[in-house]
PDB file of all heavy atoms in Angstrom:
ATOM      1  N   TRP A  86      22.949  18.132  -6.967  1.00 93.00           N
ATOM      2  CA  TRP A  86      21.840  18.065  -6.047  1.00 93.00           C
ATOM      3  C   TRP A  86      21.602  19.415  -5.368  1.00 93.00           C
ATOM      4  O   TRP A  86      22.533  20.135  -5.027  1.00 93.00           O
ATOM      5  CB  TRP A  86      22.106  17.039  -4.978  1.00 93.00           C
ATOM      6  CG  TRP A  86      22.338  15.648  -5.498  1.00 93.00           C
ATOM      7  CD1 TRP A  86      23.510  14.982  -5.624  1.00 93.00           C
ATOM      8  CD2 TRP A  86      21.320  14.773  -6.060  1.00 93.00           C
ATOM      9  NE1 TRP A  86      23.305  13.751  -6.185  1.00 93.00           N
ATOM     10  CE2 TRP A  86      21.974  13.602  -6.489  1.00 93.00           C
ATOM     11  CE3 TRP A  86      19.952  14.898  -6.243  1.00 93.00           C
ATOM     12  CZ2 TRP A  86      21.313  12.522  -7.043  1.00 93.00           C
ATOM     13  CZ3 TRP A  86      19.273  13.804  -6.797  1.00 93.00           C
ATOM     14  CH2 TRP A  86      19.940  12.667  -7.206  1.00 93.00           C
ATOM     15  N   ILE A  87      20.334  19.741  -5.161  1.00 91.00           N
ATOM     16  CA  ILE A  87      19.942  20.984  -4.477  1.00 91.00           C
ATOM     17  C   ILE A  87      19.113  20.630  -3.255  1.00 91.00           C
ATOM     18  O   ILE A  87      18.009  20.079  -3.400  1.00 91.00           O
ATOM     19  CB  ILE A  87      19.129  21.890  -5.431  1.00 91.00           C
ATOM     20  CG1 ILE A  87      19.882  22.181  -6.719  1.00 91.00           C
ATOM     21  CG2 ILE A  87      18.717  23.159  -4.709  1.00 91.00           C
ATOM     22  CD1 ILE A  87      19.005  22.782  -7.802  1.00 91.00           C
ATOM     23  N   GLN A  88      19.623  20.908  -2.068  1.00 89.00           N
ATOM     24  CA  GLN A  88      18.861  20.649  -0.864  1.00 89.00           C
ATOM     25  C   GLN A  88      17.826  21.760  -0.655  1.00 89.00           C
ATOM     26  O   GLN A  88      18.147  22.934  -0.720  1.00 89.00           O
ATOM     27  CB  GLN A  88      19.746  20.552   0.361  1.00 89.00           C
ATOM     28  CG  GLN A  88      18.981  20.147   1.622  1.00 89.00           C
ATOM     29  CD  GLN A  88      19.893  19.898   2.809  1.00 89.00           C
ATOM     30  OE1 GLN A  88      20.992  19.364   2.650  1.00 89.00           O
ATOM     31  NE2 GLN A  88      19.449  20.267   4.001  1.00 89.00           N
ATOM     32  N   ILE A  89      16.580  21.345  -0.447  1.00 90.00           N
ATOM     33  CA  ILE A  89      15.501  22.295  -0.229  1.00 90.00           C
ATOM     34  C   ILE A  89      15.498  22.730   1.233  1.00 90.00           C
ATOM     35  O   ILE A  89      15.547  21.882   2.141  1.00 90.00           O
ATOM     36  CB  ILE A  89      14.141  21.677  -0.612  1.00 90.00           C
ATOM     37  CG1 ILE A  89      14.145  21.306  -2.119  1.00 90.00           C
ATOM     38  CG2 ILE A  89      12.995  22.621  -0.317  1.00 90.00           C
ATOM     39  CD1 ILE A  89      12.960  20.520  -2.576  1.00 90.00           C
ATOM     40  N   GLU A  90      15.471  24.029   1.457  1.00 83.00           N
ATOM     41  CA  GLU A  90      15.669  24.562   2.806  1.00 83.00           C
ATOM     42  C   GLU A  90      14.408  24.595   3.642  1.00 83.00           C
ATOM     43  O   GLU A  90      14.469  24.630   4.860  1.00 83.00           O
ATOM     44  CB  GLU A  90      16.272  25.978   2.729  1.00 83.00           C
ATOM     45  CG  GLU A  90      17.659  26.006   2.054  1.00 83.00           C
ATOM     46  CD  GLU A  90      18.673  25.093   2.721  1.00 83.00           C
ATOM     47  OE1 GLU A  90      18.641  25.005   3.972  1.00 83.00           O
ATOM     48  OE2 GLU A  90      19.482  24.487   2.022  1.00 83.00           O
ATOM     49  N   GLU A  91      13.230  24.641   3.013  1.00 90.00           N
ATOM     50  CA  GLU A  91      11.978  24.573   3.752  1.00 90.00           C
ATOM     51  C   GLU A  91      11.129  23.444   3.146  1.00 90.00           C
ATOM     52  O   GLU A  91      11.112  23.266   1.944  1.00 90.00           O
ATOM     53  CB  GLU A  91      11.200  25.892   3.630  1.00 90.00           C
ATOM     54  CG  GLU A  91      11.844  27.030   4.396  1.00 90.00           C
ATOM     55  CD  GLU A  91      11.054  28.311   4.323  1.00 90.00           C
ATOM     56  OE1 GLU A  91      10.393  28.556   3.281  1.00 90.00           O
ATOM     57  OE2 GLU A  91      11.065  29.069   5.297  1.00 90.00           O
ATOM     58  N   LEU A  92      10.443  22.715   4.008  1.00 93.00           N
ATOM     59  CA  LEU A  92       9.641  21.600   3.514  1.00 93.00           C
ATOM     60  C   LEU A  92       8.544  22.060   2.570  1.00 93.00           C
ATOM     61  O   LEU A  92       8.393  21.569   1.442  1.00 93.00           O
ATOM     62  CB  LEU A  92       9.026  20.817   4.673  1.00 93.00           C
ATOM     63  CG  LEU A  92       9.974  19.986   5.516  1.00 93.00           C
ATOM     64  CD1 LEU A  92       9.189  19.225   6.588  1.00 93.00           C
ATOM     65  CD2 LEU A  92      10.749  18.997   4.666  1.00 93.00           C
TER      66      LEU A  92
END
Side-chain angles (χ1 to χ4, degrees):
W86 302 105
I87 303 167
Q88 185 173 325
I89 298 172
E90 298 303 324
E91 290 183 327
L92 288 183

